[in-house]
Amino acid sequence: MSAKSDDTMMLTTPFHSRVKEACGLNCWGNWMGYTTPNAYEDVELEYFAVRSTTGVFDLTPMNKYRVSGPDAEAYLNRLVTRDVSKIRVGRVGYTVWCDDAGQVMDDGTIFHLAENDYRICAYARAIDWFNWAALGFDVSIEDETAEVAALAVQGPTSCATLLAMGLEGLDQLKPFGLTEFEFEGETLMVSRTGFTGDLGYELWIAPHKAEALWDRLFEAGRPFIIRPFGTDALEMARIEAGFLQAGVDFMPAEEAVRNGRSRSPFELGLGWLVDLDKPVFNGRRALLREQAEGSRYRFAILDVDGNKPAQHSFILKGGKQVGTVTSAAWCPTAKTNVAFAQIEMPHGAVGEELVAEIYYQRELHWTRVLAPCKVIESPVFNPGRRRATPPAGF
Amino acid sequence: MKKYDAIVIGAGHNGLTNAAYLAKAGLNVAVLERNAYIGGATVSRELHKGWTYTNCSYVCSLLRPEIARDLELPRHGLQVVPYGGGVTFKRDGGYYGNYYDHNRQYREMARHSKRDANAYERYTADVMKQTRLIRPFLLKRPPDPTSLKLRDLRDLTEFAGSFMEMGEEGLADTLKFWTKSVGDFLDEYFETDVIKAHLGGTGVIGTALGVYSPGTAYVLLHHYMGDVDGNVGSWGFARGGMGAVSGALAKSLLGYGGEIICDADVDQIVVKGGKVTGVALKNGDEIHADVVVSNLDPKRTFLDVMDAKDLPADVVRKAQNFKIRGSSGKLNIALDGLPTFNGLDKSSPLMLGDMHFSDSLQRLERAYDDWKDGTWSKDPYVDMLIPTQTDPTMAPPGKHMMTVFVQYAPPKIRGGEWTAEDKAGFEKSVIDQIAAQSPDFKDLILHCETRTPKEIEAEVGLTEGNIFQGELTFDQLLFNRPFPGYAQYRGPVGGMYMCGSGTHPGGGVMAAPGANAAREILNDLRQPNIVPGGYADD
C-alpha cells in the first residue's frame, strides 16, 4: 500500500478485474465510493443488450443490510409501509420506508431469505436509521454491503444464459421469487428482480467467488449474446420502465435540508406500497392525515411531443408553472419521449395535457421549446416477457 | 362486390404506412398484396429451418421515428437496435475499422493516416450540414417550384431560407453533393485508399453508377440522412429482420380497422371517365374504390397496371424514360457458427457492423466496369452484416445469419436472361471474395439464398430489381420524383395516387413516401391532417 493509499480511497468491487478488462472506454463513475463503469464500450450497445439479449451489471455497491432475529418480521413491518408478513420466504418485495412525517426516506427491496431472516437493499446508507427504528425489537442489523457480491443479469435471453450456466429449474422461478444454487462450494442466491423493467435476475454470492461467477456467466452467455452494461445504460432502461431513482426523483427525507423538499409515497405514485390497514408503522399517522387532507404533489409520467428530452424542464399549465421534471429520456425501445415530473395538485391527473418548457443546446447555442405533453397512465415499456414463467428463449 | 374508400396496391412498408394513416383517419381501406406474404422488400422469411433471413432490405436508419411513434410500431413489436462498428478488409491482410467511440475512431484512422483522421471531422461536419438541409423535407411533400399555391410557396421559402443560411461555401457544397461523384468528393478529404473505399461504398449502393460517376455523392448523403434515436447517420437492425417493420405496420393498420388481402394480384387499375373506380385482379375479381394508391414503382404503375389509353401520353413517355436500373443482388446465408476473419478477434466490436472487402475506389470502379459490360462483378462490392451478433431471434444460439448485399449485378446478362450457371457464377464470386479473408467461412455455410436482380424483380416486383424504385440521381429527386408535375403523390387520373419509394423522398425503408402520400389524399378528401411532420433537428 502506497503512502497515499488507505482505506478511505475509492473502493473497487470483487468483479473489478473483469470489469476493468471489459471497460474499453475507461469511463468510470463513483457509486457510493466504489469505482463503477458509466459505460464499457458504447452506451446504446449496452442498453440494447438489456433490451434485446443479455446485459450484466455489477450492483455490488448497492447498500445491503441483513435483518435477522426473533423480531425481524415485526421490526420490518414497523419500519416499512408494506405488509411484510405477505412477503413469504423465498420472495422479494419492493417497498419504501418513511420517517414519522410520512416522508420517504428511501425505496428498496426486501429479500425474505428464511424465517425472520431478511436482506434489505437500499440506495441510501441506512444503518443509523435502521438501528434507531429498531429500539425495543430483538433484531440484529448488519451492513453486509461488502460481504455480498452481486450481478444483475437482465434481458430477454437472461434466463437462457443462466440455464446454460447450469442453474437448472431457474425458468420456473416467478417474478420476485428467489432461490439458491450451489456454486463451486458456495451458495449462489438468485432472485428474479432488477431495475430494467425487462426479464431479469440478480445473482448474489460471496466475494471470493465473484470472478469465477463472472467468468462462468460470460462463458455460458456467449451464444445468447451477453454484454456488460454501465450506469448510463441502466439510467435509460429504468426511465423507460418507469422506475424512480432515489436522490434523482425524490430527496431521501433525512437528507432534505429545505422544508417541503421531501415527498410522501403518495406524492411519488407509490401509494400502492402503503398498507394503512397495518396498525402501526413509521409515518402511518402522517400518511393517514395526508390521505384525508390531500397531497401537495402528484407524480406524473409524461409523454412529451418531439424528440428533445425534457431534462430539468418546468411543466406549465396555461403558462403558469405547475411542476418540474426529475428524470427524462428519449426511450429507444418504446420510441417515446418520456419525463417523470412532480406536479402540484390538483394538476397531473392521467390524461391531462400540459406543456414542458424544454431548454436544449446545439453547438453551444441554447434553444427553448414549449412541447405539449400528456400525463400517461403507465410506463412506456412493460413487455410480457418480464412476467412470463417459464420465460421464452428470447 | 366489395367497395372500399381506398385500395392500396402492394403491402410493402410504404403501402402499409399509407393504408395505416388512411385507416386511422377513418377510411375503409384494403391493401392488396400479390404474394402470399406481406412486406415487399421489407420482409423476413425462414428459408432454412431455424434461420430467419432478412431477405431484401437488411438495415434500418431512414425509418422515420415520427411515424414509428405515431403508429405505435414498438407496441406492435418493432424494435430497432442500432449497430456500430464496420470494417473493410484489405487485400494485404490489414483492415480499416469503424469504432463506436469518436476518439477510438480517430486513433484507428490515424493508424492509416493522421491527416485523414483529422479530416474526418471536417468531412462529418460537411455531411451533417447537408443532412440538415434535407431532413426537414423528408416528411413533407416536395414543393413545386412552378406553383403559386400558398403551401408550395411557404415550403419553397423555407427551403430557400435554409439554403441561404448555409452561405456561399455551403451552397457550393450543396451543388457539389447533388452533382459530384462520391469518388471526387472523398478525394477532397482523404488520402488513404481503404478509408475512401470504406466511406465510398454507400455512394453506389442500389445505384447503377460507379464511384466516379457524377451524382453518386448524393447517394452517400441519402445514406447519412436517417437516424436512430436522433443520432443522424446511424444505422440499426430491426429485431427479427426487416419483416418486423412490415409486421408492426400491418398490426397497426389492422388495429385501425384496415384490411390486408394477400394473393391478390392486380391486373389493372380501372379508370372510367378520367377517374379510378377500383382495380381488376388477375383472377377476374374486381374491387371498387374511389381512391387507388399504387405502391408499385413508376414503371409498373404506369406501364403495367395502368392502361396507356387511360393516361396522358406524356406520362407514359416519362415512365418509359424513368431510370430504374438493376444493379445489385443479395446473398442470405445460414452459418453454423461465427466465421473467423483475418486479423480480427471474434469479439471485436468492428464485426457488429457493415463489412466490406473492396479496399480502394479503383476496385469499386472496376466492379462497375463489369456491370457496364453486362455481367456481374468478378470482384464485387459487398455490404455484409451478421445481425445475429446482436439479435438472438434469427438463428439458434451460437449459430449465425449473414446478409450480403452485392453490387454489381445487371438485370440481364449481356442482353439475355440470367441462367442457372450465371447465378452460380455470381454466387461464387461473392463467396470466394469472403472466403479469401475468412478461412473457415465456406465450411460454416449451411444454406444460401442467392438473389439476382431477376429474382428480386420476380418476387418483390421491383423493376429490374432496383432497390430504390428508381435511381436516386438529382434528375429524379424532389419535385422531379418520379417525374415533374407528378411529384406530389397525385397521379394523372382522378383518385389515383402513388406512395412508393419512386416518390419523394425516395428509397430505403423510410415510410416517408407512404405517410406523405396519405397526407395529400386526406387533404383531397377534406379530412383533417393526422400525418405527423418531422421532428426538428435544432
Side-chain angles (χ1 to χ4, degrees), chain B residues 106-160:
Chain B
Y106 173 86
R107 289 192 294 276
E108 167 65 5
M109 269 192 156
R111 201 164 64 80
H112 298 271
S113 157
K114 205 164 193 169
R115 191 153 172 190
D116 282 1
N118 191 192
Y120 187 66
E121 287 163 20
R122 176 167 59 95
Y123 165 84
T124 309
D126 286 353
V127 171
M128 286 304 136
K129 278 180 201 168
Q130 299 302 321
T131 66
R132 253 189 97 235
L133 184 67
I134 291 181
R135 280 169 55 81
F137 285 87
L138 294 177
L139 275 178
K140 278 195 178 138
R141 65 174 193 180
D144 176 353
T146 64
S147 159
L148 292 174
K149 282 189 197 138
L150 198 61
R151 245 178 102 192
D152 288 307
L153 288 174
R154 196 191 55 210
D155 288 348
L156 281 169
T157 310
E158 188 194 327
F159 191 60

Side-chain angles (χ1 to χ4, degrees), chain A residues 85-100:
Chain A
S85 68
K86 287 182 180 160
I87 305 170
R88 298 187 313 275
V89 173
R91 300 287 301 163
V92 185
Y94 172 62
T95 189
V96 292
W97 45 97
C98 296
D99 62 10
D100 285 343

Side-chain angles (χ1 to χ4, degrees), chain A residues 251-271:
Chain A
M251 278 301 294
E254 224 177 16
E255 294 171 25
V257 174
R258 294 164 182 83
N259 192 27
R261 298 292 159 91
S262 61
R263 294 289 184 268
S264 77
F266 299 123
E267 292 167 340
L268 295 173
L270 299 175

